[in-house]
Amino acid sequence: MPIIEVSNLKKSYGKLEVLKQITFDVNKNDVVAVIGPSGSGKSTMLRSLVHLEEVDDGSICVSGNHLVKDGIYAKPQEIKQITGKMGMVFQHFNLFPHLTVKENLELAPRMVKKESSAEIGQRSNELLEKIGLSDRATAYPAKLSGGQKQRVAIARALMMNPEFLLFDEPTSALDPELTGEVLQVMKDLAQEQMTMIVVTHEMGFAKEVANRVIFMDNGEIVESGAPADLFTNPRFERTKAFLNRSLK
C-alpha cells in the first residue's frame, strides 16, 4: 500500500493554475525525484504535502489518513498528526541563527514530542556523527558553510523520526563544490531505505539514486517512470526538450 497517495491536486493563484490534476503515489522506501523547469509547480506540490500550501481541490492521503479529501481538509489536530510523519528540508536551510547546531537539532523534539533530555541528546549526537559534524555541535549557523548548514537541516528533520523526508531543491543554494557533501548524506539515507521525495535540478542524483522520476511542466505531471526509461527514452517532446537542456 502506498505511503503517500496524491490525486487530482489543483491549485491556482488567481487565474494562474499552478497545479493541474496532480496524481501520483509513493511507496515505502521509494526515492522519487521530481524534475522540471523553474515555475513548473514542483515546490508548490511538495509544500502542499506538508500543508505549507493549501490546495483548492484534490486529495492527499498519508499512511491511510487523509490530509485533504476532495478539497476538504482534516481537522487541525489530525493535520498536525499527519504532517508530523513528515520531515521537510528547505532550499535555504531555515536554521535558527541564535541557536547552536545541537540546539537547532534538539528544539523541536523537546517542544513537540516532550522527550527526555537524555534521549534527545543521544539522538542529536548520533545524527551529528552520521552527517560528519560532531565537531561543530556548539557552532552557530553563521560559522558554517552552506553545505554544513544543509547537512544540519537534514539532521534536524531526522530528529523527529519521520516516516519520510521531503526535499525542496536542497542543493540549489549551494556552491557546486559543496553540493556533493549534501548529496552524499541523501545517498546514505536512500541506502538505509528512507522514503524520500526530492525536488531537484541534480540530474545525476535523479539518475543514480531515485527509483522513480516525475517530470513536471506547466503545473502538470507530463510523465514519470524509472530513471533508466525516462532519461534514455522519454515519451514526450516536452520531456525530451527539458532533458536536452539539462543534460548538456
Side-chain angles (χ1 to χ4, degrees):
M1 177 179 151
I3 192 170
I4 306 168
E5 299 170 272
V6 176
S7 58
N8 299 318
L9 282 197
K10 295 181 186 176
K11 183 172 179 65
S12 298
Y13 296 117
K15 292 184 178 179
L16 177 65
E17 284 186 286
V18 188
L19 300 178
K20 307 172 184 175
Q21 304 276 18
I22 297 293
T23 298
F24 66 96
D25 292 344
V26 178
N27 292 316
K28 191 172 173 58
N29 308 137
D30 275 352
V31 178
V32 178
V34 185
I35 64 172
S38 296
S40 59
K42 307 183 301 294
S43 291
T44 302
M45 178 277 292
L46 194 76
R47 289 169 64 86
S48 71
L49 298 182
V50 74
H51 198 232
L52 292 173
E53 298 272 2
E54 286 207 351
V55 296
D56 302 324
D57 200 3
S59 301
I60 299 169
C61 188
V62 178
S63 301
N65 300 300
H66 275 95
L67 176 71
V68 56
K69 186 172 184 180
D70 299 327
I72 307 297
Y73 275 88
K75 293 174 182 173
Q77 189 59 35
E78 293 170 344
I79 289 174
K80 188 176 178 182
Q81 288 174 343
I82 292 167
T83 55
K85 299 174 188 289
M86 318 177 202
M88 181 88 178
V89 179
F90 300 90
Q91 181 178 346
H92 293 291
F93 328 126
N94 291 13
L95 300 178
F96 293 109
H98 63 292
L99 300 180
T100 66
V101 165
K102 192 171 169 64
E103 287 167 346
N104 263 283
L105 263 61
E106 295 180 359
L107 180 65
R110 184 168 287 121
M111 293 184 70
V112 178
K113 292 204 166 185
K114 305 288 193 279
E115 294 174 305
S116 72
S117 293
E119 277 181 282
I120 293 170
Q122 182 180 348
R123 195 154 77 251
S124 65
N125 289 338
E126 288 170 355
L127 283 170
L128 286 172
E129 186 172 347
K130 182 188 183 78
I131 63 169
L133 289 176
S134 293
D135 60 332
R136 308 297 280 156
T138 58
Y140 288 89
K143 299 294 185 183
L144 303 179
S145 71
Q148 290 172 330
K149 288 177 189 174
Q150 195 59 292
R151 283 187 278 159
V152 172
I154 294 171
R156 181 179 60 180
L158 290 169
M159 281 293 292
M160 299 297 283
N161 290 322
E163 290 185 20
F164 56 91
L165 286 177
L166 309 175
F167 293 84
D168 190 7
E169 301 194 8
T171 59
S172 62
L174 302 179
D175 294 331
E177 65 268 23
L178 300 176
T179 295
E181 64 190 57
V182 174
L183 292 178
Q184 187 57 55
V185 172
M186 295 168 67
K187 289 175 187 176
D188 292 344
L189 289 171
Q191 288 177 345
E192 293 166 14
Q193 299 198 303
M194 170 61 76
T195 308
M196 299 191 279
I197 304 176
V198 185
V199 171
T200 185
H201 290 295
E202 296 291 335
M203 297 299 135
F205 175 86
K207 274 183 174 179
E208 180 188 347
V209 182
N211 66 308
R212 187 146 53 91
V213 180
I214 292 173
F215 171 62
M216 287 183 67
D217 187 25
N218 195 29
E220 57 192 354
I221 293 177
V222 178
E223 65 177 296
S224 67
D229 297 331
L230 192 136
F231 282 107
T232 59
N233 192 28
R235 291 178 294 142
F236 295 94
E237 285 302 322
R238 277 195 283 173
T239 317
K240 289 177 187 174
F242 173 76
L243 292 175
N244 285 338
R245 292 193 304 272
S246 302
L247 296 174
K248 282 180 180 176

